[in-house]
Amino acid sequence: MNNNLIQYIYGIADNSLILGQRLGELCGHGPSLETDIALTNISLDLFGQVRSYYQYAAKIQGNDTTEDTIAFLRKEREYKNVLLVEQPNADFAYSITRQFLFDMFHIELLNELQNSKDETLAAIAKKSIKEVSYHVRFSSDWMRRLGDGTEESNQRVQTAVNDLWVFTDELFHQTDADKAMVSEGIGVDVTQLKQSYYHKVSAILEEATIEVPKIEYFQKGGKQGIHSEYMGYILNEMQYMQRTYPNMNW
Amino acid sequence: MSEKEIKSLEEIFEAKIARDEKIEPKDWMPEKYRQTHIRQISQHAHSEIVGMLPEGNWITRAPSLKRKVALLAKIQDEAGHGLYLYSACETLGISRDELYEQLHSGKAKYSSIFNYPTLTWADMGAVGWLVDGAAIINQVPLCATSYGPYARAMVRVCKEESFHQRQGFQIMMTLAEGTPEQKEMAQDALNRWWFPALMMLGPTDDASVHTAQSMKWKLKRKTNDELRQQFVDQTVPQAEMIGLTIPDPNLKWNPETKHYEFSELDWEEFWQVVKGHGPCNKMRLDARRNAWNNGEWVRNAAMAYAEKQENREVKQAI
Ligand SMILES: [Fe+2]
Ligand SMILES: [Fe+2]
Ligand SMILES: [Fe+2]
């Protein structure tokens, strides 16, 4: 059993799991029916991708592992998502900014992952690219709208960008498992994506008349399983059924 | 227009409906027809979007990834239904914002069933099976209703509703075949949703104000009581099939009429909920109003941006 590969898969899939979960909170509460449909759809895509990744990880692990034991029965420290995706839906500007900052990374990652030597991962990446290109279009369009909309929307989205920017650097950190997978030609070397990410993100922010934050210190920890205080509550809700009614079929 | 002219327009209109031809947005129609359709279609649209809330309540807690995905997809469908129905309603000369305004002020109604709480996972099964099930019984006849845009929207909606109904039944079946705890959860959900679902088919015929006119315009083909009977006859065997008990001591098969007999419904409860005093009326309306109010700056931004874009294009063209 390739433990590094499993950890590598979690590192990718947990981002989609937790972000999908955050988006799921918004359903029916958005500013318009159209945005509700779009965000639900993005959440749906992300969970679909999660299922493919976890099914693969479960197959590698064997025993009684399933996509659901991976999704619902790990301890907080075992989730490897970045801090960015845990951040709450403080308002629509936050939800969109969080989405945008993640989507721009996600698409770059998948673009590379489709060349992975691991055929399953390459296939999942290839399939997900179509969906994630749509996510990128949706979130970057909304960044432009909010940034270049009214004074209020500009301020709100600028605040969200300022607050969430500290979580972007972690996207390009590597764990030991990541490094091992990169050296085997399975994993993507995310350090190589960083420049292009900030370049493209900044270009869209500029179009949106949003200032690119200039900061020296960033937050990290999620990839090592050290999360924000939000994470426990996210898991609490997400794991509720599986913890209360263990070992049942649904 | 003279009275005589109107009379002849009315005759043409009635004849069209009698021939089963569709009335289209550009056709002449009596004001009462327009108003009745605005009321009914918007009520239906509001029900779709308010209906997203009790189910949305379980997205973050769905017990498996597969169920979570299916639930998200279902709620997304409901939002889509809201969208087609609002569009159909707009063809009658009212804007979506006005329709929302009516919902938020309490002037427009939505289906009372969504004023009941979803307390356990089994409620996702019960809602799909019973609520979408009752909705289908109400809506299938509307696929042939006289107003074209409404009839066409209903064809799409009904297809998806039957899928939801099967999905809900499948959740119930899985629970009923599961552990004793799961079966108990399923039975409890059925106990709580059964009578509210029967009430979805509307008040008894003698208390229903709109039936005669609605029949003529093909907004209705059967009376509420007939629809309710159809729902009971169809659903009781399904409950039996998965070993759940309909919570009605008076339920019994009548071999002569070939229908189930069942208890008189608690109409006092029905009217209490319709009048706004059900367990979740306030919560649901507050959720919709908050979503609308909190979204105002977003909609304004989108509008401002679209205007700027248009101006830029105009400038470029010059
Ligand atoms: Fe419906
Ligand atoms: Fe629906
Ligand atoms: Fe439905």
Side-chain angles (χ1 to χ4, degrees):
Chain A
M1 186 172 73
N2 187 339
N3 199 45
N4 282 331
L5 178 56
I6 292 167
Q7 290 304 314
Y8 183 71
I9 296 172
Y10 291 170
I12 295 175
D14 290 352
N15 287 335
S16 297
L17 176 76
I18 300 301
L19 185 55
Q21 187 73 8
R22 276 297 193 208
L23 292 173
E25 295 170 8
L26 294 170
C27 195
H29 303 279
S32 73
L33 203 43
E34 286 79 358
T35 55
D36 259 359
I37 292 176
L39 289 176
T40 308
N41 194 43
I42 294 174
S43 175
L44 199 52
D45 287 344
L46 291 172
F47 281 118
Q49 294 164 17
V50 166
R51 291 191 67 196
S52 306
Y53 288 120
Y54 287 170
Q55 281 165 8
Y56 182 40
K59 203 171 97 190
I60 301 167
Q61 288 176 70
N63 300 324
D64 297 331
T65 311
T66 65
E67 56 177 277
D68 288 327
T69 61
I70 297 174
F72 298 102
L73 293 175
R74 279 179 290 160
K75 306 275 191 314
E76 181 171 328
R77 286 294 304 272
E78 294 166 337
Y79 288 84
K80 298 296 155 62
N81 57 281
V82 292
L83 298 176
L84 174 66
V85 295
E86 303 167 15
Q87 301 309 307
N89 297 306
D91 68 4
F92 189 72
Y94 270 79
S95 305
I96 288 295
T97 304
R98 181 187 62 208
Q99 193 64 40
F100 169 67
L101 294 174
F102 180 72
D103 291 341
M104 294 297 283
F105 163 77
H106 199 190
I107 193 77
E108 302 267 322
L109 176 80
L110 294 174
N111 260 329
E112 294 302 318
L113 191 63
Q114 62 177 339
N115 304 320
S116 170
K117 276 191 187 156
D118 184 300
E119 281 174 21
T120 310
L121 286 184
I124 299 174
K126 203 167 244 158
K127 189 174 160 283
S128 309
I129 282 175
K130 271 185 225 140
E131 295 169 345
V132 175
S133 317
Y134 161 77
H135 305 172
V136 168
R137 198 156 11 108
F138 174 82
S139 62
S140 47
D141 278 353
W142 271 105
M143 288 304 286
R144 292 189 190 95
R145 259 180 224 125
L146 297 180
D148 195 15
T150 63
E151 203 174 309
E152 180 181 7
S153 68
N154 176 277
Q155 259 166 28
R156 282 180 186 260
V157 79
Q158 181 72 62
T159 305
V161 169
N162 294 347
D163 288 356
L164 294 173
W165 199 254
V166 290
F167 302 111
T168 52
D169 190 64
E170 189 189 11
L171 293 164
F172 308 99
H173 290 202
Q174 282 185 318
T175 63
D176 293 340
D178 293 346
K179 286 177 192 155
M181 286 299 98
V182 172
S183 69
E184 285 182 41
I186 291 174
V188 174
D189 183 355
V190 284
T191 61
Q192 301 291 315
L193 308 178
K194 189 168 172 174
Q195 221 188 350
S196 140
Y197 172 85
Y198 281 113
H199 183 76
K200 289 179 184 164
V201 165
S202 302
I204 292 174
L205 291 184
E206 208 169 295
E207 269 183 71
T209 69
I210 295 294
E211 262 174 60
V212 178
K214 289 198 176 54
I215 55 172
E216 279 173 64
Y217 298 103
F218 290 91
Q219 297 296 326
K220 61 172 191 292
K223 284 194 170 179
Q224 306 294 338
I226 300 174
H227 294 279
S228 63
E229 287 184 354
Y230 299 120
M231 186 68 173
Y233 294 93
I234 296 174
L235 295 182
N236 193 24
E237 222 173 301
M238 191 174 75
Q239 298 185 339
Y240 163 62
M241 289 297 292
Q242 290 273 346
R243 296 281 183 206
T244 315
Y245 305 95
N247 302 315
M248 299 184 197
N249 289 322
W250 301 97
Chain B
M1 226 179 296
S2 74
E3 229 166 272
K4 205 175 143 198
E5 279 170 318
I6 291 180
K7 193 105 208 276
S8 95
L9 282 171
E10 253 171 24
E11 270 163 25
I12 297 169
F13 171 86
E14 300 290 353
K16 229 177 180 178
I17 291 182
R19 286 196 304 270
D20 256 334
E21 275 171 43
K22 297 285 177 246
I23 305 300
E24 294 300 335
K26 288 203 177 88
D27 296 342
W28 182 89
M29 61 186 83
E31 192 48 28
K32 179 126 188 279
Y33 180 91
R34 184 190 304 277
Q35 291 308 331
T36 303
H37 277 76
I38 289 177
R39 198 188 60 233
Q40 174 158 339
I41 301 172
S42 68
Q43 185 170 325
H44 192 167
H46 298 325
S47 303
E48 300 287 351
I49 61 162
V50 175
M52 293 167 70
L53 299 170
E55 294 191 281
N57 185 35
W58 278 88
I59 291 174
T60 58
R61 291 178 295 168
S64 71
L65 289 175
K66 191 175 135 202
R67 293 294 183 201
K68 200 191 280 284
V69 166
L71 182 61
L72 277 162
K74 177 183 195 262
I75 299 174
Q76 196 190 17
D77 286 349
E78 306 300 5
H81 299 171
L83 212 53
Y84 323 143
L85 286 162
Y86 283 123
S87 305
C89 202
E90 282 174 312
T91 63
L92 291 161
I94 186 163
S95 72
R96 218 208 287 182
D97 283 10
E98 284 173 276
L99 295 171
Y100 281 145
E101 173 52 38
Q102 292 178 353
L103 172 67
H104 299 152
S105 70
K107 186 182 165 222
K109 296 274 178 261
Y110 55 87
S111 178
S112 272
I113 194 76
F114 301 120
N115 292 316
Y116 290 87
T118 52
L119 302 177
T120 70
W121 171 251
D123 289 20
M124 295 303 97
V127 167
W129 174 34
L130 304 174
V131 174
D132 287 74
I136 294 167
I137 294 217
N138 262 331
Q139 290 167 17
V140 163
L142 292 174
C143 297
T145 192
S146 61
Y147 189 55
Y150 191 31
R152 288 188 290 272
M154 290 321 298
V155 172
R156 273 174 92 172
V157 168
C158 282
K159 231 180 262 165
E160 290 177 351
E161 301 296 12
S162 1
F163 183 75
H164 299 162
Q165 199 252 354
R166 279 200 300 276
Q167 187 172 291
F169 183 67
Q170 227 247 330
I171 290 176
M172 288 304 256
M173 187 159 74
T174 308
L175 295 174
E177 287 169 351
T179 64
E181 264 177 305
Q182 284 175 303
K183 186 164 183 183
E184 193 188 308
M185 194 191 287
Q187 182 63 56
D188 171 63
L190 174 56
N191 294 350
R192 284 181 289 110
W193 289 94
W194 176 251
F195 286 110
L198 293 193
M199 292 180 196
M200 275 179 75
L201 285 318
T204 48
D205 296 342
D206 44 326
S208 177
V209 271
H210 306 300
T211 299
Q213 179 69 271
S214 297
M215 291 262 187
K216 200 163 126 204
W217 289 341
K218 298 177 178 158
L219 268 174
K220 248 184 172 334
R221 297 253 151 144
K222 291 180 185 170
T223 69
N224 293 346
D225 287 333
E226 286 169 334
L227 293 170
R228 191 164 12 253
Q229 187 67 56
Q230 185 188 338
F231 179 72
V232 172
D233 290 346
Q234 158 190 318
T235 312
V236 171
Q238 294 171 352
E240 277 168 5
M241 195 174 107
I242 56 176
L244 295 180
T245 310
I246 301 287
D248 181 353
N250 298 316
L251 184 86
K252 76 167 188 278
W253 175 251
N254 181 332
E256 265 152 49
T257 61
K258 300 220 175 335
H259 289 299
Y260 284 95
E261 289 168 5
F262 53 94
S263 293
E264 180 64 23
L265 305 185
D266 181 355
W267 293 110
E268 211 172 300
E269 176 182 315
F270 175 83
W271 290 113
Q272 177 176 342
V273 183
V274 169
K275 285 176 184 158
H277 310 287
C280 299
N281 293 64
K282 181 170 172 358
M283 196 183 174
R284 301 289 185 242
L285 257 189
D286 283 351
R288 285 313 317 163
R289 285 188 195 126
N290 286 339
W292 186 249
N293 294 337
N294 294 336
E296 193 183 355
W297 69 269
V298 177
R299 297 188 303 273
N300 289 343
M303 224 140 51
Y305 178 77
E307 257 166 50
K308 286 185 200 175
Q309 288 297 96
E310 218 170 281
N311 289 342
R312 278 172 204 145
E313 272 162 36
V314 170
K315 257 188 208 155
Q316 265 178 7
I318 295 167

